[in-house]
Amino acid sequence: MFKNAIYAFGATTLFAFIGNSSAKAQQAGPVKGLKDYYSSYFPVGVAVSPQSLKDGKKSVLIISQFNSITPENAMKMGPIHPAENRYNWRDADAIVAFAQANGIKVRGHNLCWHEQTPSWLFTGDDGKQVSKEVLLQRLKTHIDTVVGRYKGKIYAWDVVNEAIDDDSTKFLRNSLWYKICGEDFIFKAFEYAHAADPNAVLFYNDYNTERPEKRERIYKLLKRLIEAKIPVNGVGLQAHWSLFEPSEKDLEATIQKFSSLGLKIQITELDMSVYPWEKNRRDKLPGESDAFTAEKEQQQARQYAMVFNIFRKYKDVITGVTFWNIADNQTWLDDYPVKGRKNYPLLFDQNLQPKKAYRGVVKF
């Protein structure tokens, strides 16, 4: 179904209209994509929705540029398992089918998180909070079912997502998972995932990993997992970055720190906001500009070029880089942290054309 839809534009749609929109360029020959530039380094992926796969131009762009995809939301616990005895497989199945039809790898995202988690998980029939034993059994059933369904089709999973607290004076996030289970939910999630698919590569995934105070706490967690012989294989650096961070020094220090544990590293959710980092949601301020100026465009190109230079330098430990969304016409950063403030964080613009940042990434 998906393969036929993808080629609905005709045989020339995979030609070099990307990067040059002239009619002449459309006949130039097959486009060289990010996956081709980085074929000797690591897979280059992108987060997708089922809707983006049905969009002919976007599906062409995905196939031509990327060789790995991550479901942006379709495999998170809330969307895929909204009730204890009900699973929504349609969207996740569609993404996996698209990938298989086009020879694209799939990263599963994610099995255990404090957000987008259905409320039934933590509540018993009596309306009260469940015990640790009940919650861990529900987590096991969820992981057995989801990982088992895609065994052999999904090569890697983000098993536990964002378990470290944002407060630098604390260690683990005080989520319902932690309140009910303590740190055991993290240990057990990896054990359950490994049992469900022993060949899958299992990641702990988090943001702000390059900030020294958070990096140290993530390292502490990973070291404890390894010492307890928990089957964690890698760490995912979400890489929701900006024109202003990370610095080259902090990024290299992060890669060196985590790789010293013998773990694989993947860049799992890469985008480059044109605004400084903010965590808390807020309204757009009167007169606040959201123009993508020439200066910002140049800054972004330099920042992207810098981080990819480091990725290439550490290709022996970095085993994948995934962008979080396809192009600037649809990005989660348009609604977070400032709703309605346009952002321009990706390599392709609102018309799906490559930006200066794209050229900075592929010219090496």
Side-chain angles (χ1 to χ4, degrees), residues 332-351:
W332 74 293
L333 292 172
D334 285 346
D335 290 310
Y336 176 85
V338 181
K339 188 173 180 61
R341 182 184 67 179
K342 181 63 191 160
N343 211 324
Y344 312 85
L346 299 160
L347 297 188
F348 297 93
D349 67 17
Q350 295 179 76
N351 297 313

Side-chain angles (χ1 to χ4, degrees), residues 257-307:
K257 183 82 172 179
F258 293 139
S259 63
S260 72
L261 292 169
L263 295 173
K264 301 176 188 298
I265 294 174
Q266 290 198 351
I267 311 303
T268 55
E269 306 180 22
L270 176 59
D271 43 34
M272 199 73 70
S273 172
V274 299
Y275 310 106
W277 165 267
E278 294 180 72
K279 173 63 177 173
N280 298 321
R281 294 181 181 274
R282 67 171 175 84
D283 293 332
K284 188 177 177 183
L285 301 174
E288 184 175 5
S289 174
D290 60 3
F292 189 46
T293 64
E295 182 182 8
K296 286 182 177 179
E297 184 179 25
Q298 194 61 45
Q299 283 180 283
Q300 187 182 61
R302 286 197 300 267
Q303 186 76 339
Y304 262 121
M306 182 271 287
V307 300

